[in-house]
Amino acid sequence: MAMNDNYSEATSESTCHVVTPFNMGKFHLSHRVVLAPMTRCRALNGIPSEAHVLYYTQRSTEGGFLITEGTHISPTAGGFPHCPGIYTEEQVEGWRKVVDAVHAKGAIVFCQLWHVGRASHPIYQPGWAAPISSTNKPISKRWSVLMPDASHAEYPAPRALLSSEIQEVVEHYRQAACNAIRAGFDGVEIHGAHGYLIDQFLKDGINDRTDEYGGSLANRCKFLMEVVYAVVSSIGAERVAVRISPAIDHIDATDTSPLALGLAVIERLNKLQEELGCKLTYLHVTQPRFIAREERGRQGIEEEDAQLMRKLRRAYQGPFMSSGGYTRELGTDAVARGEADLVAYGRLFISNPDLVERFKMNAPLNKYDRTTFYTHDPVVGYTDYAFLSEESGSNMPYGCL
């Protein structure tokens, strides 16, 4: 299957760098360095604050593209402390302030729609209920859930959704997408990755259902595609993106054939695009190396992982975003080889709000502090990392590119 039209452009020497322009559907980007969606736990009571306005605008550039942290679609969607939602009017208004500020800097921003499924605890659920999932099986004791007091606990047994309940969850995704558009977002990214609810239906290491949502690949893809169809029908395909991670085993999200799963999802997304006569904004796939480096839960073979990503990229008929452990050089290589149109950066963007400028100048990077990734301070580790313009004469530590 042929690559999309931007592939030939990306492989020429003059356009192989991550800071070169790219047309992402109707959005004209000035560079390919994307702010990745990252849980930051700064939304007290689930509502974006002025700290969020500053955090996102710090990382905004003219023609740049940002994806928000995972944003809860409903009261049952949470599994971390102080994460924002998009299902109440107060949350919509909070996000509107963020979006308006980002747009004022000329950037484009999507809201990531998130439901954690079984990756939760009754403390985060209405009425102390069990989290919902595709299964009744809990996440293994190898993993633990972060509690509101910063302690960790075992994941409890979830409650498998009844077949008759699934459409209500699909509706939550659809309504959340509509709320995001009302808040001014340019579009949404449906989070179908990393072991959360949609991934709990996709992966055969989790999904043990015997109804129309379990068993075959077609059945396991059904929930995701129902969500995608519902959202696209409400806000338009050109405002909708999907994230998957077929080879990532985060929180026990394993599959016996990651490539087959990824290709099955892509086949259905391509078919949807053909039916609609227009493309989704992009497909976002997480590199397998992300888990191998970060959690050591998957000792993958590097070339095998690279081949998997190449096959997924070649199969998808539209803009392709990749994330997971990228440096400036790895991102540039990915674009130069035609392996990605867009590269999403997480940790490097946390500690370098002016990451795009640093990449353009090949400047040194601030080191990030992992201990502040998930704390609740609205400043420390969130909006207090220095810009290049503030570092002249300082002794601030740098990390090599």
Side-chain angles (χ1 to χ4, degrees):
M1 187 174 292
M3 296 269 195
N4 63 69
D5 293 341
N6 284 298
Y7 172 65
S8 60
E9 297 175 5
T11 54
S12 68
E13 289 186 1
S14 62
T15 58
C16 68
H17 199 280
V18 286
V19 295
T20 57
F22 179 73
N23 290 331
M24 184 181 73
K26 69 176 186 178
F27 303 106
H28 305 297
L29 307 183
S30 62
H31 58 82
R32 302 162 188 252
V33 179
V34 178
L35 174 66
M38 294 174 286
T39 300
R40 299 308 314 276
C41 299
R42 263 69 174 193
L44 300 183
N45 301 314
I47 302 168
S49 67
E50 289 302 317
H52 290 79
V53 174
L54 179 58
Y55 174 79
Y56 285 103
T57 54
Q58 283 180 334
R59 289 154 183 81
S60 298
T61 54
E62 182 74 32
F65 182 48
L66 294 73
I67 311 169
T68 71
E69 60 214 90
T71 303
H72 299 158
I73 64 166
S74 71
T76 67
F80 289 82
H82 303 303
C83 291
I86 191 76
Y87 56 89
T88 72
E89 284 304 310
E90 196 171 3
Q91 291 165 345
V92 170
E93 289 304 313
W95 276 121
R96 182 174 285 116
K97 295 175 184 176
V98 175
V99 173
D100 287 348
V102 169
H103 284 165
K105 293 195 70 175
I108 297 151
V109 58
F110 273 31
C111 180
Q112 189 190 66
L113 304 183
W114 189 32
H115 196 304
V116 304
R118 69 174 184 167
S120 185
H121 187 278
I123 200 169
Y124 296 118
Q125 297 299 311
W128 205 263
I132 60 173
S133 181
S134 65
T135 180
N136 291 315
K137 297 182 299 184
I139 296 170
S140 70
K141 294 181 181 180
R142 172 187 166 204
W143 309 90
S144 61
V145 59
L146 178 64
M147 301 294 278
D149 64 359
S151 65
H152 286 79
E154 292 182 8
Y155 282 106
R159 179 182 70 82
L161 285 163
L162 300 175
S163 301
S164 59
E165 296 176 302
I166 290 177
Q167 288 309 305
E168 181 179 1
V169 182
V170 173
E171 170 59 19
H172 290 160
Y173 276 98
R174 189 199 69 79
Q175 185 59 58
C178 292
N179 290 347
I181 299 303
R182 286 200 299 114
F185 282 104
D186 298 291
V188 300
E189 179 182 279
I190 297 169
H191 195 349
H194 299 175
Y196 298 117
L197 182 61
I198 292 174
D199 211 22
Q200 291 161 28
F201 279 83
L202 291 173
K203 300 283 180 65
D204 64 11
I206 300 174
N207 188 337
D208 55 0
R209 303 178 72 93
T210 57
D211 62 4
E212 66 267 34
Y213 292 95
S216 68
L217 265 174
N219 285 0
R220 286 185 279 123
C221 290
K222 184 175 181 180
F223 177 54
L224 167 63
M225 293 311 300
E226 287 180 343
V227 170
V228 174
Y229 271 97
V231 172
V232 164
S233 296
S234 292
I235 68 171
E238 71 281 0
R239 293 180 179 272
V240 179
V242 175
R243 188 179 195 181
I244 60 171
S245 59
I248 300 296
D249 67 352
H250 183 242
I251 46 178
D252 295 340
T254 59
D255 194 86
T256 53
S257 182
L259 177 60
L261 174 60
L263 291 175
V265 171
I266 288 172
E267 177 186 0
R268 286 157 178 79
L269 295 178
N270 285 342
K271 181 180 179 182
L272 171 63
Q273 294 179 144
E274 291 172 4
E275 292 173 355
L276 295 172
C278 62
K279 297 185 184 300
L280 301 174
T281 315
Y282 60 86
L283 174 66
H284 184 178
V285 183
T286 311
Q287 280 273 3
R289 66 167 174 251
F290 170 75
I291 218 68
R293 290 182 178 182
E294 286 301 290
E295 292 156 357
R296 301 178 185 175
R298 180 182 182 279
Q299 299 302 321
I301 300 172
E302 186 172 343
E303 183 54 32
E304 178 185 333
D305 291 344
Q307 287 294 333
L308 181 144
M309 291 295 290
R310 290 183 191 121
K311 289 176 181 178
L312 297 180
R313 195 267 185 269
R314 285 184 167 86
Y316 183 63
Q317 298 173 348
F320 191 90
M321 181 187 298
S322 186
S323 60
Y326 279 99
T327 61
R328 178 179 181 273
E329 287 74 20
L330 287 173
T332 291
D333 288 346
V335 173
R337 296 171 188 270
E339 295 172 359
D341 298 308
L342 302 158
V343 180
Y345 291 86
R347 292 160 291 164
L348 297 186
F349 236 138
I350 288 177
S351 56
N352 299 274
D354 55 350
L355 186 65
V356 177
E357 186 65 22
R358 290 175 188 263
F359 277 7
K360 288 179 179 179
M361 298 174 62
N362 200 9
L365 302 181
N366 299 326
K367 292 181 179 179
Y368 49 80
D369 180 0
R370 292 176 183 273
T371 66
T372 62
F373 281 1
Y374 308 115
T375 57
H376 314 317
D377 192 298
V379 176
V380 177
Y382 194 55
T383 59
D384 63 343
Y385 283 104
F387 289 74
L388 272 172
S389 59
E390 301 169 341
E391 293 171 0
S392 178
S394 74
N395 294 316
M396 192 164 187
Y398 296 122
C400 294
L401 287 175

